Amino acid sequence: MTVPITCIIRYEIDPHKKAAFEQYARNWGQAIPRCGADLVGYFAPHEGSTTTAYGIYNIDSLAAYEAYRARLAQDPLGEENYRFAQREQFLLREERQFLKLVSAPHGTGVKA
């Protein structure tokens, strides 16, 4: 059984432009699944850091990731979202990590 790869994108965002990041995240919420990745979600600051945000999705392999990125770059909403981020400059830093799940299968939790 092939274990998918999880891509975790860590963003440093301008804390005064959190609403712009949230719009960016909602746009990816439409484009990413359409282009072939299993989106877990985008997460904006709530408590603690006001500048750290995350995007998390699963993809079958690094080869599938390359094909997905090509589709995303050609997707009309994907293209617009890239331009939106450049225009609004709310992303100060972005880094990607690719991880694989090694703790599965997981046990069940206690039910009250």
Side-chain angles (χ1 to χ4, degrees):
M1 180 174 133
T2 304
V3 176
I5 296 168
T6 299
C7 179
I8 299 178
I9 309 168
R10 182 185 176 276
Y11 296 98
E12 181 182 343
I13 64 171
D14 181 331
H16 303 291
K17 296 183 178 181
K18 183 178 164 190
F21 177 79
E22 291 173 358
Q23 180 60 52
Y24 176 78
R26 285 189 296 275
N27 291 343
W28 286 139
Q30 300 303 308
I32 288 173
R34 179 171 57 233
C35 291
D38 175 24
L39 181 64
V40 174
Y42 270 72
F43 302 87
H46 179 70
E47 275 299 314
S49 171
T50 60
T51 60
T52 303
Y54 293 92
I56 304 171
Y57 61 87
N58 297 309
I59 194 102
D60 288 338
S61 66
L62 289 177
Y65 170 76
E66 293 301 327
Y68 151 78
R69 291 285 294 187
R71 286 189 300 275
L72 195 61
Q74 294 177 352
D75 183 85
L77 183 56
E79 286 181 306
E80 174 52 35
N81 220 25
Y82 285 125
R83 286 193 302 273
F84 173 62
Q86 291 173 339
R87 185 173 60 247
E88 297 299 320
Q89 297 183 347
F90 51 87
L91 299 178
L92 306 177
R93 182 178 172 151
E94 179 178 337
E95 62 184 49
R96 281 178 177 72
Q97 292 186 334
F98 295 90
L99 306 170
K100 66 179 182 175
L101 178 65
V102 296
S103 62
H106 297 147
T108 58
V110 175
K111 305 228 186 296

